[in-house]
Amino acid sequence: MIELKDLTKVFRQNGQETVALRNVSLRVPKGEIFGILGQSGAGKSTLIRCVNLLERPTSGEVWVDGREITRLSPAELRAVRREMGMIFQQFNLFDSRTVAGNVAYPLEVAGWPRQRINERVAELLALVGLSDKAGAYPAQLSGGQKQRVGIARALALGPKLLLSDEATSALDPDTTRSVLDLLREINRRLGLTILLITHQMEVVKQVCDSVAILEEGQLVEQGRVLELVGRPGSRLRQLLYEPFRDTGFHVSPQGVLVALFFVGQSAEEPLISSVVRNFQVDANIVQGAVERIAGTTVGRLLVELTGRPEDVQAALQYLEARGVSPEVIQRG
Ligand code: ADP
């Protein structure tokens, strides 16, 4: 649905140059929820604004649904933009319009007749669960409800692509979850491709099929979320488990501290006891957790293995062969 080729964006201001994006290439498959993860200043907003050309790239190509859009005429570009909806952190609703009036806005601009607008608005409000708020004003809504209005408005013209600019950053965790659930439902029901930018790992865990990680304007990694979680040494894994690593645990001289990952496997498999039984090692469980990532159960376990180096090595190989991608965090 989207392909960025060698995208670079340089801002020049008061004789100063900021390279916001440097040679970014990335592909967003149709029908996916694709996350761009990065800290503040990484270039996420610039990237998403290059996808709808609110920002012109300094160099590189932007392909959307098979067309290179940096070369389109203004009229062609307007047509392409109608196929993209966008939602924002600060919702960007019109305070003086009701909920229905906000959702109707893009349809009015597109010149739809009143009767069709009313039908479409009713349909969209039902989709986002706000039928009973049609006559309310934004000031009377919670943050989550405001974002639902934003989503309904973004979907009004039936876009192929939804761009989300930190849409849940201003919301509390429970509301974030319910808005992300709604995005997932819309993605499934309408087959809509969603590109979202976020600095929140929770968003990636809960809703993204794939992710690209942006650091200081450069793409450091991209791929399917579960595949990256299962890959030793991946940047996503590092970011996910940074807090997990910092245990202050003192590894004994004959020991190694190992992280194990159970992606979509039964955590009931007695893997640790079979390691202890089959190899001359002891296992000391330091930390463990189970969570849902991209709709799959992911277990992680931090365990200290102690024994002769060759036995520990054999145990690690055994764990590797069992598909739990052991990663040595620390050696004693
Ligand atoms: P993020 O969305 O990840 O926080 P941004 O894309 O907003 O990052 O910004 C990336 C870099 O580009 C930052 O250093 C920012 O200061 C700079 N930048 C963004 N927009 C402009 C602009 N219009 N003029 C000058 N510099 C900008």
Side-chain angles (χ1 to χ4, degrees):
M1 178 56 79
I2 305 173
E3 183 165 9
L4 306 180
K5 292 189 185 171
D6 216 10
L7 203 69
T8 292
K9 175 71 188 182
V10 182
F11 289 107
R12 293 191 177 83
Q13 213 179 24
N14 311 327
Q16 267 212 329
E17 274 198 359
T18 309
V19 184
L21 295 173
R22 193 188 297 270
N23 305 110
V24 169
S25 293
L26 108 91
R27 293 171 80 109
V28 178
K30 266 199 178 113
E32 276 205 358
I33 301 186
F34 194 104
I36 308 281
L37 178 68
Q39 294 186 333
S40 175
K44 304 181 298 294
S45 310
T46 306
L47 188 150
I48 209 165
R49 290 163 63 82
C50 281
V51 172
N52 57 14
L53 292 193
L54 284 178
E55 210 70 79
R56 285 259 159 199
T58 308
S59 63
E61 297 175 4
V62 180
W63 292 77
V64 177
D65 203 19
R67 303 173 81 184
E68 210 283 276
I69 64 170
T70 63
R71 289 187 225 130
L72 298 181
S73 68
E76 289 172 318
L77 183 58
R78 273 197 299 279
V80 170
R81 280 198 183 129
R82 273 199 290 276
E83 308 207 315
M84 303 183 200
M86 189 152 180
I87 54 177
F88 308 88
Q89 180 172 4
Q90 296 308 332
F91 322 118
N92 295 8
L93 301 180
F94 297 112
D95 291 334
S96 60
R97 280 179 170 242
T98 61
V99 165
N102 270 281
V103 177
Y105 182 76
L107 303 168
E108 290 168 10
V109 172
W112 286 34
R114 182 40 65 184
Q115 184 55 34
R116 266 185 77 205
I117 291 181
N118 292 344
E119 287 165 12
R120 180 71 179 142
V121 168
E123 192 179 296
L124 289 159
L125 290 181
L127 180 70
V128 301
L130 284 181
S131 300
D132 58 334
K133 297 284 182 198
Y137 286 87
Q140 299 167 298
L141 303 178
S142 69
Q145 290 170 332
K146 285 182 197 167
Q147 196 55 287
R148 284 169 190 269
V149 178
I151 292 170
R153 182 181 60 185
L155 297 179
L157 291 167
K160 295 180 189 161
L161 176 64
L162 180 66
L163 304 176
S164 167
D165 185 351
E166 296 273 8
T168 55
S169 295
L171 305 176
D172 63 63
D174 282 346
T175 311
T176 293
R177 224 165 288 132
S178 79
V179 168
L180 293 177
D181 283 344
L182 175 63
L183 291 180
R184 170 54 82 188
E185 188 191 327
I186 288 165
N187 157 262
R188 296 237 171 95
R189 242 211 257 176
L190 310 178
L192 187 73
T193 308
I194 301 179
L195 178 66
L196 60 83
I197 64 173
T198 185
H199 67 279
Q200 296 171 300
M201 185 56 83
E202 284 310 310
V203 172
V204 174
K205 282 196 218 172
Q206 198 192 326
V207 82
C208 293
D209 299 302
S210 295
V211 68
I213 300 173
L214 203 55
E215 290 176 3
E216 294 175 7
Q218 281 179 292
L219 215 56
V220 295
E221 187 167 280
Q222 64 177 304
R224 308 273 306 169
V225 171
L226 282 178
E227 197 261 316
L228 296 175
V229 169
R231 186 195 295 171
S234 76
R235 186 77 184 113
L236 185 68
R237 216 193 224 199
Q238 270 174 3
L239 294 172
L240 261 172
Y241 299 118
E242 230 153 52
F244 185 63
R245 272 156 213 277
D246 188 22
T247 57
F249 182 77
H250 182 72
V251 186
S252 65
Q254 286 261 293
V256 292
L257 188 61
V258 185
L260 306 177
F261 296 84
F262 302 77
V263 180
Q265 292 149 315
S266 160
E268 289 151 32
E269 212 182 326
L271 199 57
I272 300 304
S273 51
S274 59
V275 164
V276 173
R277 227 178 304 116
N278 294 330
F279 302 91
Q280 298 295 314
V281 296
D282 279 328
N284 175 17
I285 292 174
V286 178
Q287 237 183 34
V290 176
E291 60 186 346
R292 299 283 291 172
I293 300 183
T296 299
T297 303
V298 176
R300 52 196 160 93
L301 199 58
L302 204 56
V303 49
E304 182 197 30
L305 299 176
T306 44
R308 292 185 308 166
E310 56 272 32
D311 292 331
V312 169
Q313 195 51 40
L316 287 174
Q317 272 165 11
Y318 172 82
L319 290 167
E320 179 82 56
R322 302 300 290 269
V324 293
S325 50
E327 191 166 346
V328 174
I329 305 283
Q330 208 183 320
R331 290 182 187 274

